[in-house]
Amino acid sequence: MAYYFKEASHTFGEYLLVPGYSSEKCIPANVSLETPLVKFRKGEEPKIKLNVPMTSAIMQAVSNDTMAIALAKEGGISFIYGSQSIEDQAAMVSRVKNYKSGFVSSDSNIMPSTTLGEVLALKAKTGHSTMAVTEDGTPTGKLVGIVTSRDYRVSRMSMDTKVETFMTPFNKLIYADADTTTLSMANDLIWQHKLNMLPLVDKNQRLRYMVFRKDYTDNKEHALELTDNNKRYLVGAGINTRDYAERVPALLKAGADVLCIDSSEGFSEWQRITLKYIHENFGEDVKVGAGNVVDREGFRFLAEAGADFVKVGIGGGSICITRETKGIGRGQATALIDVVEARDEYYKETGIYIPVCSDGGIVHDYHMTLALAMGADFLMLGRYFSRFDESPTNKVRINGTYLKEYWGEGSNRARNWQRYDLGGDKKLSFEEGVDSYVPYAGPLHDNVMLTLSKMRSTMCNCGALNIKEFQDKAKLTLVSATSIVEGGSHDVILKDKFRGND
Ligand code: RVP
C-alpha cells in the first residue's frame, strides 16, 4: 500500500510568526544575516559563507554575469545558468571573476578625427559625457586625450569640429598605472586633483580602465559585498548530470567558486554519480550543491552522496507547472520543515552541517523571512530577481506598464532538457514551465535593501540578532483561511482604488 503523509502540505502564505521578547539590543542595525553556503564540521567554519541569505536562480532569465556582479555587491551569490554552451557559461563566470569593482572599461570611445556632432550623438546613445579618445577609437587603444561636456560649447561651435582641437590632450591629463594602482589609490588621486575620472593606462599608454568619482560612493554603499581573498566577487554556476566531465573543469578554470547540480528532481542515482565523479576527480575542495528534494529521505540520500548543500523545492516555482503536468511536488513550507529536521538529525549524528536552500515559491518578502525561521540557511529566488534591471531579459511596455520577461527552464523557450533528464532522449518531451511577464521593479540594490530591512525588522520582533538565533527562537503558527483575509487591509475602501462616481 502507498505511504500517506499524515499532514497536508502547506505553503509559506499559510504561516505567520508570533513575536517574541525583544531586548533593547534588538535593533535592525545589530542584525547579522551571515549564513553558511557549504557544509562544515562542528567547530569549524564553512569554506564559503554568504553575507545575506540570497542566491539567484540557475535560469536563463535570471542569472548572467551582470546579475552575479550586482548580487555579489549586496552580499549574495548567483548561480550562472547552465543551459548554454560550456564556453559561454565559462565566459560569464570569468567576466564576474575579472570584474574589478570601481574599474570600468570605457564604453564611449572616439578618435581624434571624430566630430563634435558624432560626440553628441554618442552621448545621447550612452548617456555618458566623459569619453576616452584613443588613437584607433577602441576601448583599449593608445590614449591620446579625454573629452567631457566642459570641453565644448554646442551653441558656438560647428558640428564638424574635430575632437583633437578641443579634447584635453594626454600630456595635460592626470592618469595612473593600470597594473599597480588600487581602487583606494585611484580614489586618493581623484580627490587630490579634483577629478571626475581617472584613466588607468599600461606602460604603452594603452587605456585599460577608467575610475569615476561617482563610483567611489557606490563602493561605500556595498559594505556587505561578497568577495574572495583576492577581492574578486564570488560566483556560482549550475551544472547537469550529463556533461559534468567537460563542464566542471571549464567552470573551475574560469574561477567558479561553487557549483550546483540543477535538476527538478534530485533524489536520483544520476546526482550521486555526478557528485562522486566531481569529488574524486577534482577534490573535496570543489563545492557542489545538489537537489531538488522535498522530504527527509531525499535529503539523506544527497547528504550521503556528498552534497555540499541541499536544495529544497519541487513545483513551487512561479513559472513551474510540474505539479500540474506530472502530479509531483509538495507544499514548499512543509517540504522545507521536513528537510530541515533531517539536516539537524544528520548534524547530531555526524557532526556535519549541510546547509539547506529553500528554492522557489517566494511571493512576498516576508516569505523569505518565514523560510529562514523554518530553518533554511539561504534562499534561491527566480521571479524576485527577474524583475530587476540587472536580469538578462527584455523590458517591455504593455498598456502603459513596464514588464520584464521571465520564463522557466522547463519551458519550450529555455529547452533545458538536462534539468528534467531521466537518462532517456536528449530532448524535452513536454513542458514543465511557462513563458511569462513579471512587473518591472527597477534596480536590484534598492529592492534588496528594502527586502533585507523588512527581514531584519521581523527578526528583531522575534528577539533575534542572527539567523541561527532566529531559527532557535522563532514561533510559527499555521493560519486559517479566514485569518489570511484578516491579514490584508479589509473592510475599508482604499483611496487609490476609489474613483468617486465613475
Ligand atoms: P521562483 O523564485 O518562484 O520564480 O522559482 C524559481 C525556481 O523555480 C528555480 O530556482 C527552479 O528551482 C524552479 N524552476 C525553474 N524553471 C522551472 C520550470 O520551468 N518549471 N522551475
Side-chain angles (χ1 to χ4, degrees), residues 378-402:
F378 58 96
L379 316 155
M380 180 167 274
L381 309 148
R383 193 196 59 88
Y384 177 81
F385 286 116
S386 70
R387 301 169 304 145
F388 305 152
D389 285 322
E390 292 80 355
S391 79
T393 72
N394 290 326
K395 181 168 118 189
V396 292
R397 192 159 175 232
I398 298 179
N399 296 336
T401 307
Y402 283 105

PDB file of all heavy atoms in Angstrom, residues 378-402:
ATOM      1  N   PHE A 378      19.636  29.520   3.428  1.00  0.00           N
ATOM      2  CA  PHE A 378      19.560  30.587   2.426  1.00  0.00           C
ATOM      3  C   PHE A 378      18.459  30.252   1.431  1.00  0.00           C
ATOM      4  O   PHE A 378      17.874  29.166   1.464  1.00  0.00           O
ATOM      5  CB  PHE A 378      20.907  30.834   1.743  1.00  0.00           C
ATOM      6  CG  PHE A 378      21.500  29.640   1.046  1.00  0.00           C
ATOM      7  CD1 PHE A 378      21.314  29.444  -0.311  1.00  0.00           C
ATOM      8  CD2 PHE A 378      22.259  28.713   1.746  1.00  0.00           C
ATOM      9  CE1 PHE A 378      21.866  28.352  -0.956  1.00  0.00           C
ATOM     10  CE2 PHE A 378      22.830  27.617   1.115  1.00  0.00           C
ATOM     11  CZ  PHE A 378      22.621  27.434  -0.252  1.00  0.00           C
ATOM     12  N   LEU A 379      18.184  31.231   0.551  1.00  0.00           N
ATOM     13  CA  LEU A 379      17.060  31.098  -0.378  1.00  0.00           C
ATOM     14  C   LEU A 379      17.551  31.174  -1.804  1.00  0.00           C
ATOM     15  O   LEU A 379      18.556  31.832  -2.068  1.00  0.00           O
ATOM     16  CB  LEU A 379      16.094  32.275  -0.162  1.00  0.00           C
ATOM     17  CG  LEU A 379      15.832  32.570   1.296  1.00  0.00           C
ATOM     18  CD1 LEU A 379      15.433  34.006   1.493  1.00  0.00           C
ATOM     19  CD2 LEU A 379      14.783  31.621   1.818  1.00  0.00           C
ATOM     20  N   MET A 380      16.829  30.516  -2.700  1.00  0.00           N
ATOM     21  CA  MET A 380      17.099  30.712  -4.128  1.00  0.00           C
ATOM     22  C   MET A 380      15.854  31.341  -4.739  1.00  0.00           C
ATOM     23  O   MET A 380      14.741  30.874  -4.517  1.00  0.00           O
ATOM     24  CB  MET A 380      17.449  29.395  -4.816  1.00  0.00           C
ATOM     25  CG  MET A 380      17.727  29.583  -6.297  1.00  0.00           C
ATOM     26  SD  MET A 380      18.501  28.157  -7.082  1.00  0.00           S
ATOM     27  CE  MET A 380      20.223  28.455  -6.749  1.00  0.00           C
ATOM     28  N   LEU A 381      16.086  32.441  -5.492  1.00  0.00           N
ATOM     29  CA  LEU A 381      14.961  33.231  -5.985  1.00  0.00           C
ATOM     30  C   LEU A 381      15.072  33.459  -7.482  1.00  0.00           C
ATOM     31  O   LEU A 381      16.124  33.882  -7.971  1.00  0.00           O
ATOM     32  CB  LEU A 381      14.963  34.593  -5.280  1.00  0.00           C
ATOM     33  CG  LEU A 381      15.040  34.543  -3.755  1.00  0.00           C
ATOM     34  CD1 LEU A 381      15.781  35.752  -3.215  1.00  0.00           C
ATOM     35  CD2 LEU A 381      13.667  34.453  -3.160  1.00  0.00           C
ATOM     36  N   GLY A 382      13.964  33.185  -8.179  1.00  0.00           N
ATOM     37  CA  GLY A 382      13.939  33.410  -9.618  1.00  0.00           C
ATOM     38  C   GLY A 382      13.121  34.641  -9.944  1.00  0.00           C
ATOM     39  O   GLY A 382      13.648  35.673 -10.365  1.00  0.00           O
ATOM     40  N   ARG A 383      11.808  34.555  -9.711  1.00  0.00           N
ATOM     41  CA  ARG A 383      10.903  35.662 -10.032  1.00  0.00           C
ATOM     42  C   ARG A 383      11.362  36.971  -9.392  1.00  0.00           C
ATOM     43  O   ARG A 383      11.364  38.022 -10.026  1.00  0.00           O
ATOM     44  CB  ARG A 383       9.484  35.315  -9.535  1.00  0.00           C
ATOM     45  CG  ARG A 383       8.377  36.203 -10.044  1.00  0.00           C
ATOM     46  CD  ARG A 383       7.114  36.026  -9.202  1.00  0.00           C
ATOM     47  NE  ARG A 383       7.376  36.336  -7.817  1.00  0.00           N
ATOM     48  CZ  ARG A 383       7.290  37.542  -7.273  1.00  0.00           C
ATOM     49  NH1 ARG A 383       6.881  38.550  -7.996  1.00  0.00           N
ATOM     50  NH2 ARG A 383       7.582  37.755  -6.000  1.00  0.00           N
ATOM     51  N   TYR A 384      11.774  36.889  -8.127  1.00  0.00           N
ATOM     52  CA  TYR A 384      12.188  38.087  -7.389  1.00  0.00           C
ATOM     53  C   TYR A 384      13.260  38.871  -8.172  1.00  0.00           C
ATOM     54  O   TYR A 384      13.123  40.063  -8.413  1.00  0.00           O
ATOM     55  CB  TYR A 384      12.724  37.639  -6.021  1.00  0.00           C
ATOM     56  CG  TYR A 384      13.269  38.756  -5.163  1.00  0.00           C
ATOM     57  CD1 TYR A 384      12.416  39.563  -4.429  1.00  0.00           C
ATOM     58  CD2 TYR A 384      14.640  38.991  -5.086  1.00  0.00           C
ATOM     59  CE1 TYR A 384      12.908  40.583  -3.636  1.00  0.00           C
ATOM     60  CE2 TYR A 384      15.150  40.009  -4.294  1.00  0.00           C
ATOM     61  CZ  TYR A 384      14.273  40.804  -3.577  1.00  0.00           C
ATOM     62  OH  TYR A 384      14.774  41.822  -2.802  1.00  0.00           O
ATOM     63  N   PHE A 385      14.321  38.157  -8.600  1.00  0.00           N
ATOM     64  CA  PHE A 385      15.421  38.844  -9.280  1.00  0.00           C
ATOM     65  C   PHE A 385      15.107  39.168 -10.738  1.00  0.00           C
ATOM     66  O   PHE A 385      15.676  40.106 -11.298  1.00  0.00           O
ATOM     67  CB  PHE A 385      16.705  38.008  -9.205  1.00  0.00           C
ATOM     68  CG  PHE A 385      17.337  38.022  -7.850  1.00  0.00           C
ATOM     69  CD1 PHE A 385      17.448  36.864  -7.100  1.00  0.00           C
ATOM     70  CD2 PHE A 385      17.831  39.199  -7.323  1.00  0.00           C
ATOM     71  CE1 PHE A 385      18.032  36.877  -5.835  1.00  0.00           C
ATOM     72  CE2 PHE A 385      18.413  39.235  -6.056  1.00  0.00           C
ATOM     73  CZ  PHE A 385      18.516  38.065  -5.316  1.00  0.00           C
ATOM     74  N   SER A 386      14.204  38.378 -11.351  1.00  0.00           N
ATOM     75  CA  SER A 386      13.924  38.591 -12.776  1.00  0.00           C
ATOM     76  C   SER A 386      13.319  39.976 -13.024  1.00  0.00           C
ATOM     77  O   SER A 386      13.363  40.485 -14.130  1.00  0.00           O
ATOM     78  CB  SER A 386      12.974  37.507 -13.292  1.00  0.00           C
ATOM     79  OG  SER A 386      11.683  37.685 -12.735  1.00  0.00           O
ATOM     80  N   ARG A 387      12.770  40.604 -11.988  1.00  0.00           N
ATOM     81  CA  ARG A 387      12.071  41.888 -12.163  1.00  0.00           C
ATOM     82  C   ARG A 387      13.018  43.089 -12.227  1.00  0.00           C
ATOM     83  O   ARG A 387      12.606  44.207 -12.472  1.00  0.00           O
ATOM     84  CB  ARG A 387      11.111  42.110 -10.979  1.00  0.00           C
ATOM     85  CG  ARG A 387      10.056  41.026 -10.817  1.00  0.00           C
ATOM     86  CD  ARG A 387       9.335  41.180  -9.497  1.00  0.00           C
ATOM     87  NE  ARG A 387      10.281  41.162  -8.398  1.00  0.00           N
ATOM     88  CZ  ARG A 387      10.155  41.882  -7.277  1.00  0.00           C
ATOM     89  NH1 ARG A 387       9.110  42.638  -7.105  1.00  0.00           N
ATOM     90  NH2 ARG A 387      11.084  41.817  -6.326  1.00  0.00           N
ATOM     91  N   PHE A 388      14.301  42.852 -11.957  1.00  0.00           N
ATOM     92  CA  PHE A 388      15.218  43.985 -11.806  1.00  0.00           C
ATOM     93  C   PHE A 388      15.963  44.332 -13.099  1.00  0.00           C
ATOM     94  O   PHE A 388      16.094  43.513 -14.001  1.00  0.00           O
ATOM     95  CB  PHE A 388      16.234  43.696 -10.696  1.00  0.00           C
ATOM     96  CG  PHE A 388      15.585  43.341  -9.371  1.00  0.00           C
ATOM     97  CD1 PHE A 388      16.229  42.525  -8.463  1.00  0.00           C
ATOM     98  CD2 PHE A 388      14.324  43.837  -9.055  1.00  0.00           C
ATOM     99  CE1 PHE A 388      15.642  42.186  -7.247  1.00  0.00           C
ATOM    100  CE2 PHE A 388      13.713  43.508  -7.840  1.00  0.00           C
ATOM    101  CZ  PHE A 388      14.374  42.692  -6.936  1.00  0.00           C
ATOM    102  N   ASP A 389      16.523  45.538 -13.113  1.00  0.00           N
ATOM    103  CA  ASP A 389      17.299  45.999 -14.274  1.00  0.00           C
ATOM    104  C   ASP A 389      18.379  44.996 -14.660  1.00  0.00           C
ATOM    105  O   ASP A 389      18.705  44.842 -15.828  1.00  0.00           O
ATOM    106  CB  ASP A 389      18.015  47.324 -13.920  1.00  0.00           C
ATOM    107  CG  ASP A 389      17.054  48.487 -13.894  1.00  0.00           C
ATOM    108  OD1 ASP A 389      16.150  48.513 -14.748  1.00  0.00           O
ATOM    109  OD2 ASP A 389      17.194  49.360 -13.013  1.00  0.00           O
ATOM    110  N   GLU A 390      18.978  44.355 -13.673  1.00  0.00           N
ATOM    111  CA  GLU A 390      20.160  43.529 -13.911  1.00  0.00           C
ATOM    112  C   GLU A 390      19.841  42.154 -14.488  1.00  0.00           C
ATOM    113  O   GLU A 390      20.757  41.425 -14.855  1.00  0.00           O
ATOM    114  CB  GLU A 390      20.954  43.361 -12.606  1.00  0.00           C
ATOM    115  CG  GLU A 390      21.600  44.642 -12.099  1.00  0.00           C
ATOM    116  CD  GLU A 390      20.642  45.563 -11.352  1.00  0.00           C
ATOM    117  OE1 GLU A 390      19.422  45.265 -11.293  1.00  0.00           O
ATOM    118  OE2 GLU A 390      21.116  46.602 -10.843  1.00  0.00           O
ATOM    119  N   SER A 391      18.560  41.752 -14.563  1.00  0.00           N
ATOM    120  CA  SER A 391      18.283  40.430 -15.134  1.00  0.00           C
ATOM    121  C   SER A 391      18.476  40.505 -16.642  1.00  0.00           C
ATOM    122  O   SER A 391      18.334  41.569 -17.245  1.00  0.00           O
ATOM    123  CB  SER A 391      16.868  39.972 -14.772  1.00  0.00           C
ATOM    124  OG  SER A 391      15.934  40.603 -15.616  1.00  0.00           O
ATOM    125  N   PRO A 392      18.787  39.347 -17.263  1.00  0.00           N
ATOM    126  CA  PRO A 392      19.189  39.402 -18.683  1.00  0.00           C
ATOM    127  C   PRO A 392      18.053  39.605 -19.682  1.00  0.00           C
ATOM    128  O   PRO A 392      18.302  39.618 -20.859  1.00  0.00           O
ATOM    129  CB  PRO A 392      19.806  38.013 -18.916  1.00  0.00           C
ATOM    130  CG  PRO A 392      19.729  37.264 -17.647  1.00  0.00           C
ATOM    131  CD  PRO A 392      18.911  38.011 -16.671  1.00  0.00           C
ATOM    132  N   THR A 393      16.819  39.778 -19.229  1.00  0.00           N
ATOM    133  CA  THR A 393      15.705  39.737 -20.190  1.00  0.00           C
ATOM    134  C   THR A 393      15.244  41.126 -20.620  1.00  0.00           C
ATOM    135  O   THR A 393      15.606  42.139 -20.017  1.00  0.00           O
ATOM    136  CB  THR A 393      14.502  38.994 -19.566  1.00  0.00           C
ATOM    137  OG1 THR A 393      13.930  39.827 -18.557  1.00  0.00           O
ATOM    138  CG2 THR A 393      14.919  37.682 -18.955  1.00  0.00           C
ATOM    139  N   ASN A 394      14.401  41.130 -21.648  1.00  0.00           N
ATOM    140  CA  ASN A 394      13.880  42.393 -22.189  1.00  0.00           C
ATOM    141  C   ASN A 394      12.900  43.062 -21.236  1.00  0.00           C
ATOM    142  O   ASN A 394      12.102  42.381 -20.601  1.00  0.00           O
ATOM    143  CB  ASN A 394      13.088  42.119 -23.477  1.00  0.00           C
ATOM    144  CG  ASN A 394      14.011  41.705 -24.589  1.00  0.00           C
ATOM    145  OD1 ASN A 394      15.142  42.188 -24.666  1.00  0.00           O
ATOM    146  ND2 ASN A 394      13.533  40.803 -25.426  1.00  0.00           N
ATOM    147  N   LYS A 395      12.995  44.417 -21.239  1.00  0.00           N
ATOM    148  CA  LYS A 395      11.972  45.190 -20.526  1.00  0.00           C
ATOM    149  C   LYS A 395      10.986  45.665 -21.588  1.00  0.00           C
ATOM    150  O   LYS A 395      11.416  46.225 -22.602  1.00  0.00           O
ATOM    151  CB  LYS A 395      12.656  46.374 -19.846  1.00  0.00           C
ATOM    152  CG  LYS A 395      11.748  47.251 -19.053  1.00  0.00           C
ATOM    153  CD  LYS A 395      12.563  48.204 -18.207  1.00  0.00           C
ATOM    154  CE  LYS A 395      12.297  49.628 -18.575  1.00  0.00           C
ATOM    155  NZ  LYS A 395      13.200  50.564 -17.954  1.00  0.00           N
ATOM    156  N   VAL A 396       9.704  45.396 -21.383  1.00  0.00           N
ATOM    157  CA  VAL A 396       8.732  45.786 -22.407  1.00  0.00           C
ATOM    158  C   VAL A 396       7.641  46.647 -21.771  1.00  0.00           C
ATOM    159  O   VAL A 396       7.423  46.583 -20.563  1.00  0.00           O
ATOM    160  CB  VAL A 396       8.065  44.543 -23.064  1.00  0.00           C
ATOM    161  CG1 VAL A 396       9.047  43.764 -23.889  1.00  0.00           C
ATOM    162  CG2 VAL A 396       7.425  43.636 -22.019  1.00  0.00           C
ATOM    163  N   ARG A 397       6.990  47.472 -22.612  1.00  0.00           N
ATOM    164  CA  ARG A 397       5.899  48.301 -22.080  1.00  0.00           C
ATOM    165  C   ARG A 397       4.600  47.817 -22.689  1.00  0.00           C
ATOM    166  O   ARG A 397       4.469  47.796 -23.913  1.00  0.00           O
ATOM    167  CB  ARG A 397       6.165  49.756 -22.457  1.00  0.00           C
ATOM    168  CG  ARG A 397       5.276  50.696 -21.739  1.00  0.00           C
ATOM    169  CD  ARG A 397       5.846  52.084 -21.712  1.00  0.00           C
ATOM    170  NE  ARG A 397       4.857  52.951 -21.087  1.00  0.00           N
ATOM    171  CZ  ARG A 397       4.432  54.058 -21.624  1.00  0.00           C
ATOM    172  NH1 ARG A 397       4.910  54.472 -22.761  1.00  0.00           N
ATOM    173  NH2 ARG A 397       3.522  54.778 -21.008  1.00  0.00           N
ATOM    174  N   ILE A 398       3.699  47.357 -21.834  1.00  0.00           N
ATOM    175  CA  ILE A 398       2.416  46.869 -22.347  1.00  0.00           C
ATOM    176  C   ILE A 398       1.292  47.589 -21.615  1.00  0.00           C
ATOM    177  O   ILE A 398       1.267  47.614 -20.378  1.00  0.00           O
ATOM    178  CB  ILE A 398       2.290  45.332 -22.161  1.00  0.00           C
ATOM    179  CG1 ILE A 398       3.400  44.627 -22.957  1.00  0.00           C
ATOM    180  CG2 ILE A 398       0.911  44.832 -22.594  1.00  0.00           C
ATOM    181  CD1 ILE A 398       3.423  43.124 -22.844  1.00  0.00           C
ATOM    182  N   ASN A 399       0.406  48.204 -22.380  1.00  0.00           N
ATOM    183  CA  ASN A 399      -0.703  49.001 -21.813  1.00  0.00           C
ATOM    184  C   ASN A 399      -0.217  49.975 -20.740  1.00  0.00           C
ATOM    185  O   ASN A 399      -0.794  50.081 -19.668  1.00  0.00           O
ATOM    186  CB  ASN A 399      -1.778  48.090 -21.190  1.00  0.00           C
ATOM    187  CG  ASN A 399      -2.428  47.219 -22.226  1.00  0.00           C
ATOM    188  OD1 ASN A 399      -2.423  47.579 -23.405  1.00  0.00           O
ATOM    189  ND2 ASN A 399      -2.957  46.081 -21.817  1.00  0.00           N
ATOM    190  N   GLY A 400       0.886  50.632 -21.013  1.00  0.00           N
ATOM    191  CA  GLY A 400       1.395  51.652 -20.103  1.00  0.00           C
ATOM    192  C   GLY A 400       2.152  51.124 -18.902  1.00  0.00           C
ATOM    193  O   GLY A 400       2.612  51.894 -18.062  1.00  0.00           O
ATOM    194  N   THR A 401       2.304  49.809 -18.787  1.00  0.00           N
ATOM    195  CA  THR A 401       3.029  49.266 -17.632  1.00  0.00           C
ATOM    196  C   THR A 401       4.328  48.616 -18.110  1.00  0.00           C
ATOM    197  O   THR A 401       4.326  47.903 -19.118  1.00  0.00           O
ATOM    198  CB  THR A 401       2.166  48.176 -16.940  1.00  0.00           C
ATOM    199  OG1 THR A 401       0.895  48.740 -16.677  1.00  0.00           O
ATOM    200  CG2 THR A 401       2.801  47.678 -15.660  1.00  0.00           C
ATOM    201  N   TYR A 402       5.398  48.853 -17.370  1.00  0.00           N
ATOM    202  CA  TYR A 402       6.664  48.205 -17.723  1.00  0.00           C
ATOM    203  C   TYR A 402       6.728  46.804 -17.113  1.00  0.00           C
ATOM    204  O   TYR A 402       6.429  46.607 -15.936  1.00  0.00           O
ATOM    205  CB  TYR A 402       7.855  49.032 -17.219  1.00  0.00           C
ATOM    206  CG  TYR A 402       8.113  50.225 -18.098  1.00  0.00           C
ATOM    207  CD1 TYR A 402       7.772  51.508 -17.691  1.00  0.00           C
ATOM    208  CD2 TYR A 402       8.692  50.049 -19.358  1.00  0.00           C
ATOM    209  CE1 TYR A 402       7.995  52.595 -18.516  1.00  0.00           C
ATOM    210  CE2 TYR A 402       8.917  51.128 -20.190  1.00  0.00           C
ATOM    211  CZ  TYR A 402       8.570  52.395 -19.774  1.00  0.00           C
ATOM    212  OH  TYR A 402       8.786  53.463 -20.592  1.00  0.00           O
TER     213      TYR A 402
END
